[in-house]
Amino acid sequence: MTRNTDTGDDSGDAVADGGVAEGGQRSGFSPIAALNERFGSDFVESSQFWLPPFLLVGLFVYGAIIWNLLISLTDFRGFGTPDYGDLDLQMYSRALADSGFIDAAINTFILLVGFTLVTLALGLGLAILIDRNIRFENTFRTIYLLPMSLSFVVTAQFWAWMFNFNNGVINIVITSLGLGRVDWIGNPDIVLWAVMFALMWQFAGYAMVVFLAGLRAIPNEHYEAAKVDGASTVRMYWRVIIPQLKGSTISASVVLMVFALKAFDFLYSLVGGYRPPNGADILATKMVREAYANLNWAYASAVAITLFLMTLGIVGPYLYYQYNRGNL
Amino acid sequence: MGTLELDGVTKVFPDGDGEIVAVDGVDIEMRDGEFLVVVGPSGCGKSTTLRMVAGLETISSGEIRLAGQRINDVKPQHRDIAMVFQSYALYPHMTVEGNMAFGLEESTDLSDGEIETRVADAAETMGIAELLDRKPADLSGGQRQRVALGRAIVRDPEVFLMDEPLSNLDAKLRSEMRTELQRLQDELDVTTMYVTHDQTEAMTMGDRIAILNAGELQQVATPLECYHEPANRFVAGFIGDPSMNFFPVERDGETLVGDVFDYSLSASTLDDVGDVTDLTLGIRPEDIALAGDSTGDHTFSTVVEVVEPMGDENTVYLRFADAPEGETFIATVGGLQQVSAGDEITVEIPEETVHLFDGTSGEAVHNREIDE
């Protein structure tokens, strides 16, 4: 309340300022009054708070993106300075002809879609189980969420050990069951799925927490009404409860997809270098390798811009959705 | 058909080491097509009783029978009942039509066409035909209420269960819906169990009222029986607004001796009382009459403390002349009677309107006379 009153006072001041500005208006044009008119009464007055971060973000985020775009249009490689006089799309056509790039793009896409869908499904399943008034609910919730709190570097190391061909716990279990060893990391047909599994293990808890919050927001009566209406438990979840989790699903998907795109840290830590295992190269690792191992600055920038557009393709519709719902 | 019997139904909730008895051996028999209102103060177990009938709570002991079949262990989805929730519990992601069709889709094998027809019919009955394509969020409270009722009636169940369905409506809409619900129930002739804490709803809507207190059934009777022949002091005090006045009295021969007044009894009343000496005298506010003079047997001089004019009548807070300030009882007098605070007036408490309750058990020992 006090705060509201303060705001009221502020706008009162702003009006007083506007009065002064209006005095100027008589003699012609006042930019301050015009800005306030356009963006709200305290636009100029409050600018000292939002303007510095606004400019910094503008420079370091959007400025960097634009600079990156410029570099991707040059032929800059090795040492020296880029030549901005000769801009073309050569790097992009080179990417389309590069089978390494195509493979990385396909892997990125598989990881993006596969990892997100499986993690969402698993998280939803866990959330529904945990939401059914089980014992030790908080303990389970913490256990499932714990992997999320670990760094990619740590979990990648865990999984590198567990996936180890000779001594990894997974192969030990498999061989003790009488099955042959699997080369989880070394086999290019398997490694992407192994990585996806490890990422899913790490993020299912996060999806669970988001869904759990969504489930908690659904009143008990909806479950009861569905039961009295004659729905079985499965039908109740399918037709009444899960459709109400649309918002949770969308926010969880966006976060998961963005993490899938930047799974670079995981792959980098898995092998301890720029060259991920054959069959697990994604655009993020390709980009860093081209830039810092091969010094193909312009080409790496082109890969970066591709990745940026993919991210935009995911986040853009989400922001639009939120904007339409009046949340932005 | 839809006869519903509750036979010694008990619900015990565990509470730490001990347990709480929420519903204690309730016996109710409902005829097919009867409208029974279950009423009682908060926490009396009325909603728990309803939820046990719905199958949303397990039954600790006792039996619930629907059309003669024991349904204790039947899952809610197989009980052929429809329930209206206090919060309506409409599915927010479905249209009104989807909400109404859901129960039929889940509980019957009807074809899509038949479901559509039945939904349209029920919507027509409820006057919500033009709302079928809307989502619950776009409806007003009254419209949601109608949709919730429509969702129940479209099922054509054996029993309707209603859990305070009108309590989220404003007063005017509530009294409209009260009438409409009664009309609807009459038309559909479906056995209905209706839970409320509002004794006006109980009095006006039900064929019979079941009054619960602290998990125990106090009385099941028609509204007028509950009003004029309450089984005990709780029922007498709960039904009626403003509620009955109670005075603790000791019987001394033919006279009741209260703190500040004596009240003599006739022979026929004394017969009812028998040998009980510790009694409570009850008198409804509207039975207290203004007396011209203090000559009668049952007239008392009183002081008016507060007057609440209601237009058609005045609610008057009276105090016996000898009673300490603040110890008032309530009388209702005609709206045109001029009474104001501080007045000294004489009132009559006619013997034929007096109720007497056992002072310890609360059981009614004598109820007022009714002109048949």
Side-chain angles (χ1 to χ4, degrees):
Chain A
M1 281 315 277
T2 328
R3 232 180 108 174
N4 280 345
T5 323
D6 285 353
T7 320
D9 288 343
D10 284 354
S11 52
D13 291 342
V15 170
D17 283 349
V20 175
E22 267 168 32
Q25 213 163 20
R26 264 179 242 129
S27 60
F29 173 76
S30 156
I32 294 178
L35 280 173
N36 281 340
E37 175 100 353
R38 174 70 186 78
F39 294 108
S41 61
D42 48 4
F43 179 77
V44 174
E45 199 180 44
S46 63
S47 61
Q48 53 187 316
F49 297 107
W50 55 261
L51 196 58
F54 184 83
L55 290 177
L56 289 174
V57 168
L59 177 64
F60 289 109
V61 175
Y62 299 99
I65 290 172
I66 291 166
W67 192 18
N68 196 24
L69 177 67
L70 276 180
I71 291 176
S72 77
L73 298 176
T74 66
D75 299 329
F76 183 34
R77 67 182 307 276
F79 300 104
T81 47
D83 170 16
Y84 294 112
D86 176 26
L87 299 182
D88 55 27
L89 293 173
Q90 195 205 336
M91 288 302 148
Y92 293 94
S93 52
R94 172 176 159 191
L96 291 177
D98 178 359
S99 70
F101 174 86
I102 301 289
D103 284 347
I106 291 173
N107 284 343
T108 306
F109 188 74
I110 292 175
L111 196 64
L112 189 72
V113 175
F115 159 73
T116 307
L117 288 182
V118 175
T119 310
L120 282 178
L122 192 71
L124 178 63
L126 288 175
I128 287 176
L129 290 179
I130 290 218
D131 192 45
R132 291 188 69 87
N133 279 329
I134 55 162
R135 255 185 239 193
F136 310 120
E137 180 192 315
N138 287 334
T139 316
F140 279 115
R141 212 170 48 200
T142 312
I143 289 175
Y144 289 131
L145 191 57
L146 218 50
M148 177 74 187
S149 69
L150 297 176
S151 149
F152 265 145
V153 181
V154 178
T155 55
Q157 198 58 53
F158 278 174
W159 284 97
W161 288 336
M162 289 204 282
F163 282 140
N164 185 289
F165 183 72
N166 294 313
N167 307 313
V169 67
I170 296 176
N171 273 349
I172 290 176
V173 169
I174 287 179
T175 49
S176 73
L177 293 175
L179 301 167
R181 286 172 196 275
V182 178
D183 193 356
W184 299 105
I185 306 288
N187 186 337
D189 293 336
I190 296 179
V191 61
L192 190 65
W193 306 102
V195 168
M196 202 187 285
F197 187 84
L199 289 174
M200 180 200 78
W201 168 81
Q202 184 160 11
F203 281 94
Y206 166 75
M208 177 201 73
V209 169
V210 174
F211 280 125
L212 203 54
L215 285 172
R216 291 283 149 88
I218 299 175
N220 242 338
E221 281 87 3
H222 288 189
Y223 295 83
E224 294 177 342
K227 273 189 212 162
V228 173
D229 267 346
S232 64
T233 305
V234 175
R235 301 278 300 164
M236 172 184 81
Y237 275 107
W238 183 247
R239 291 201 57 194
V240 175
I241 304 304
I242 293 177
Q244 294 192 48
L245 296 174
K246 194 170 136 198
S248 312
T249 311
I250 290 175
S251 21
S253 316
V254 169
V255 171
L256 291 176
M257 288 200 274
V258 169
F259 265 106
L261 286 179
K262 47 185 226 176
F264 167 80
D265 341 19
F266 188 88
L267 288 167
Y268 181 85
S269 314
L270 193 65
V271 289
Y274 288 138
R275 176 73 238 183
N278 272 337
D281 199 15
I282 59 171
L283 286 178
T285 49
K286 170 102 178 150
M287 167 185 81
V288 175
R289 195 168 64 249
E290 290 296 347
Y292 298 107
N294 303 342
L295 304 185
N296 287 326
W297 306 110
Y299 189 45
S301 293
V303 178
I305 290 297
T306 314
L307 199 52
F308 173 69
L309 290 177
M310 283 177 85
T311 316
L312 217 55
I314 295 162
V315 177
Y318 172 69
L319 293 180
Y320 183 70
Y321 165 79
Q322 292 289 8
Y323 177 77
N324 272 349
R325 285 168 43 125
N327 289 345
L328 288 183
Chain B
M1 282 304 291
T3 56
L4 180 67
E5 294 159 88
L6 278 69
D7 189 355
V9 171
T10 300
K11 177 69 188 180
V12 181
F13 288 109
D15 172 44
D17 296 332
E19 43 189 36
I20 294 173
V21 181
V23 178
D24 193 359
V26 166
D27 299 299
I28 301 175
E29 257 182 63
M30 290 172 67
R31 296 187 311 275
D32 185 28
E34 183 174 3
F35 195 138
L36 180 89
V37 178
V38 182
V39 69
S42 307
C44 70
K46 55 189 189 297
S47 283
T48 310
T49 309
L50 190 81
R51 291 169 57 82
M52 282 193 283
V53 176
L56 300 171
E57 299 281 358
T58 55
I59 300 161
S60 303
S61 71
E63 207 171 89
I64 296 180
R65 286 184 296 271
L66 180 57
Q69 299 287 313
R70 181 187 140 99
I71 56 167
N72 283 31
D73 305 317
V74 178
K75 288 189 169 180
Q77 56 260 43
H78 301 131
R79 287 194 184 193
D80 199 14
I81 46 176
M83 185 158 169
V84 179
F85 292 82
Q86 183 174 359
S87 62
Y88 313 143
L90 299 178
Y91 312 127
H93 57 291
M94 296 184 192
T95 59
V96 168
E97 187 171 16
N99 266 284
M100 290 173 70
F102 181 79
L104 289 176
E105 286 163 3
E106 293 299 324
S107 64
T108 66
D109 300 326
L110 293 179
S111 70
D112 289 354
E114 277 173 283
I115 290 178
E116 206 172 307
T117 320
R118 281 176 67 168
V119 168
D121 286 349
E124 198 64 47
T125 311
M126 291 309 302
I128 48 172
E130 71 282 6
L131 305 177
L132 283 177
D133 295 330
R134 299 234 206 127
K135 293 267 181 76
D138 303 329
L139 303 177
S140 71
Q143 290 171 328
R144 280 181 215 183
Q145 222 283 329
R146 281 168 185 276
V147 175
L149 283 172
R151 187 168 74 172
I153 64 171
V154 77
R155 298 264 316 278
D156 189 20
E158 290 279 346
V159 178
F160 282 137
L161 302 177
M162 306 199 181
D163 191 0
E164 311 218 9
L166 305 184
S167 59
N168 286 348
L169 302 177
D170 62 59
K172 192 165 180 309
L173 205 51
R174 193 181 312 156
S175 68
E176 271 174 37
M177 284 308 291
R178 217 157 55 202
T179 323
E180 179 148 350
L181 252 177
Q182 255 175 301
R183 180 186 61 78
L184 200 66
Q185 201 272 340
D186 209 43
E187 214 171 275
L188 300 169
D189 199 27
V190 174
T191 316
T192 304
M193 193 174 194
Y194 183 106
V195 161
T196 180
H197 65 271
D198 179 351
Q199 56 101 13
T200 318
E201 278 175 29
M203 286 297 288
T204 52
M205 298 177 78
D207 294 328
R208 285 193 301 161
I209 308 181
I211 298 149
L212 278 174
N213 185 35
E216 287 179 33
L217 190 61
Q218 307 291 317
Q219 187 170 10
V220 188
T222 64
L224 289 182
E225 271 171 1
C226 289
Y227 191 80
H228 294 302
E229 296 170 35
N232 56 40
R233 197 190 140 159
F234 176 81
V235 175
F238 190 79
I239 302 290
D241 179 38
S243 58
M244 190 185 277
N245 299 295
F246 295 108
F247 305 99
V249 289
E250 288 276 337
R251 180 188 161 204
D252 182 13
E254 293 177 3
T255 312
L256 299 174
V257 181
D259 290 340
V260 289
F261 69 99
D262 290 349
Y263 196 92
S264 60
L265 295 179
S266 66
S268 68
T269 314
L270 284 171
D271 276 354
D272 286 345
V273 175
D275 52 3
V276 187
T277 55
D278 178 16
L279 290 164
T280 303
L281 184 148
I283 176 82
R284 293 216 176 265
E286 69 270 24
D287 291 332
I288 298 177
L290 295 188
D293 50 51
S294 53
T295 51
D297 245 358
H298 298 130
T299 55
F300 304 91
S301 57
T302 59
V303 180
V304 177
E305 285 216 337
V306 180
V307 179
E308 290 175 350
M310 311 287 279
D312 56 339
E313 58 182 28
N314 293 317
T315 306
V316 184
Y317 291 76
L318 298 169
R319 169 167 63 84
F320 285 113
D322 302 337
E325 207 148 308
E327 232 173 67
T328 58
F329 61 98
I330 300 174
T332 51
V333 299
L336 295 175
Q337 303 247 20
Q338 289 294 325
V339 189
S340 49
D343 287 0
E344 286 186 21
I345 59 174
T346 305
V347 298
E348 184 187 6
I349 301 180
E351 185 173 350
E352 62 270 20
T353 63
V354 155
H355 298 257
L356 290 171
F357 305 96
D358 187 313
T360 39
S361 71
E363 295 295 315
V365 293
H366 168 81
N367 280 323
R368 64 162 298 159
E369 291 162 23
I370 300 172
D371 304 329
E372 297 280 319

